[in-house]
């Protein structure tokens, strides 16, 4: 099953003009624990530990994970055609070293730009360029394009976290954020991590197993606050409660 998925991915890579493709564990919110629909690395490789990153080339594939998962990863990757790279061991190559060994000067390395922080994207680009390799930020995910039975995005309704449990109202929290905007000379604060969004807006959800968060983004300015979320999650009571903050 995994080898056939790798074959499909490699065909898309060839069509996209890239020789290597990075498959991080994280989602666009840099979460460690994900909704099922975004468990791309787990689906592609068969390794479902919470931490790890895969790289697929036109001929090879490898997965890096830490010592918590050495035994599990070795078992789940057996027969997949993916080599386990044990992070922290002296004889384990870094991803950059491995890519340098597998690729030729001028080759292109693709990654879904939404799944990598700006800092890491910059570091990757600079590191690869030293070996005449080009990083290609992509605006779509190749794994999504081959995952035929990919689960749908969760649409469970948002729940308001009551004040007696939250301890601080949304209005009070917004004032704290706005004070920080003034202190730092900023015009807006963009929230991307799900726990930050849940805390600021006093909301909870069931989008991620065992994590009471809602897939959403937030923006706070000196005068306004915005919650970007799937409207199917929002009922009239939620609109009224948040609209009054």
């Amino acid at each position: 099953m995994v080898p056939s998925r790798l074959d499909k991915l490699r065909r898309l890579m060839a069509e996209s003009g890239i020789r290597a493709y990075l498959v991080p564990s994280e989602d666009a919110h840099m979460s460690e624990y994900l909704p099922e629909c975004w468990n791309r690395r787990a689906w592609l490789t068969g390794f479902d530990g919470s931490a790890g990153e895969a790289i697929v080339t036109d001929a090879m594939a490898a997965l890096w994970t830490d010592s918590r998962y050495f035994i599990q990863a070795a078992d789940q990757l057996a027969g997949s055609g993916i080599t386990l790279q044990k992070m922290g061991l002296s004889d384990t190559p870094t991803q950059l070293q491995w890519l340098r060994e597998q690729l030729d000067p001028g080759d292109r390395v693709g990654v879904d730009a939404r799944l990598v922080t700006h800092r890491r994207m910059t570091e990757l680009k600079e590191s690869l360029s030293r070996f005449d390799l080009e990083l290609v930020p992509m605006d779509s995910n190749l794994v999504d394009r081959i995952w035929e039975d990919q689960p749908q995005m969760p649409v469970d309704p948002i729940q308001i976290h009551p004040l007696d449990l939250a301890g601080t109202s949304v209005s009070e929290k917004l004032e704290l954020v706005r004070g920080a905007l003034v202190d730092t000379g900023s015009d807006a604060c963009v929230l991307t991590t799900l726990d930050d969004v849940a805390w600021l807006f006093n909301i909870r959800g069931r989008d991620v197993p065992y994590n009471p968060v809602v897939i959403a983004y937030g923006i706070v300015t000196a005068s306004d606050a915005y919650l970007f979320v799937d409207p199917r999650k929002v009922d009239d009571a939620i609109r009224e409660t948040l609209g009054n903050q």
Side-chain angles (χ1 to χ4, degrees):
M1 184 176 295
V2 170
S4 67
R5 293 172 180 174
L6 294 176
D7 288 343
K8 291 178 182 178
L9 177 60
R10 287 173 173 132
R11 285 195 288 272
L12 283 183
M13 290 165 52
E15 293 173 7
S16 302
I18 58 175
R19 275 200 67 197
Y21 188 65
L22 276 62
V23 186
S25 291
E26 294 80 13
D27 61 14
H29 303 272
M30 299 298 111
S31 305
E32 180 177 3
Y33 300 100
L34 315 179
E36 187 61 30
C37 60
W38 286 342
N39 271 313
R40 301 176 176 102
R41 186 262 300 153
W43 177 83
L44 179 68
T45 66
F47 167 64
D48 60 8
S50 66
E53 182 159 299
I55 302 179
V56 180
T57 73
D58 56 351
M60 301 289 290
L63 181 139
W64 283 257
T65 192
D66 61 63
S67 59
R68 293 174 297 168
Y69 296 113
F70 287 173
I71 295 174
Q72 175 185 344
D75 180 63
Q76 293 182 325
L77 294 177
S80 68
I82 300 172
T83 301
L84 172 60
Q85 303 288 358
K86 298 179 178 180
M87 295 171 62
L89 301 188
S90 59
D91 59 346
T92 298
T94 66
Q95 293 181 6
L96 182 61
Q97 290 169 337
W98 188 84
L99 283 168
R100 185 184 181 189
E101 293 172 357
Q102 302 300 323
L103 304 181
D104 299 318
D107 284 341
R108 306 168 80 228
V109 179
V111 64
D112 183 342
R114 298 167 298 177
L115 310 186
V116 180
T117 64
H118 179 269
R119 175 181 293 179
R120 189 182 179 210
M121 185 72 76
T122 300
E123 292 173 349
L124 277 172
K125 183 177 181 179
E126 292 175 351
S127 298
L128 290 170
S129 67
R130 290 199 294 269
F131 303 110
D132 196 21
L133 299 173
E134 179 186 356
L135 181 66
V136 181
M138 307 179 74
D139 58 9
S140 66
N141 193 286
L142 299 187
V143 175
D144 290 346
R145 292 172 58 184
I146 64 171
W147 191 351
E148 295 179 357
D149 57 349
Q150 186 174 17
Q152 298 296 310
M153 287 283 290
V155 292
D156 290 308
I158 292 175
Q159 303 170 18
I160 293 295
H161 195 51
L163 183 58
D164 61 333
L165 296 178
T168 307
S169 70
V170 176
S171 297
E172 291 171 310
K173 292 177 179 179
L174 289 173
E175 287 307 307
L176 291 173
V177 174
R178 287 171 176 141
L181 289 177
V182 173
D183 293 341
T184 58
S186 303
D187 296 317
C189 174
V190 180
L191 292 89
T192 60
T193 55
L194 302 186
D195 51 350
D196 286 344
V197 174
W199 176 84
L200 180 62
F201 293 99
N202 283 347
I203 58 176
R204 298 293 186 268
R206 295 193 295 267
D207 290 351
V208 181
Y210 313 112
N211 290 264
V213 294
V214 178
I215 295 173
Y217 295 92
I219 295 180
V220 181
T221 69
S223 58
D224 298 296
Y226 304 90
L227 178 66
F228 297 84
V229 67
D230 189 323
R232 293 174 292 179
K233 300 174 182 288
V234 183
D235 59 23
D236 291 340
I238 297 293
R239 293 181 187 275
E240 182 178 359
T241 299
L242 293 178
N244 290 330
Q245 301 297 327

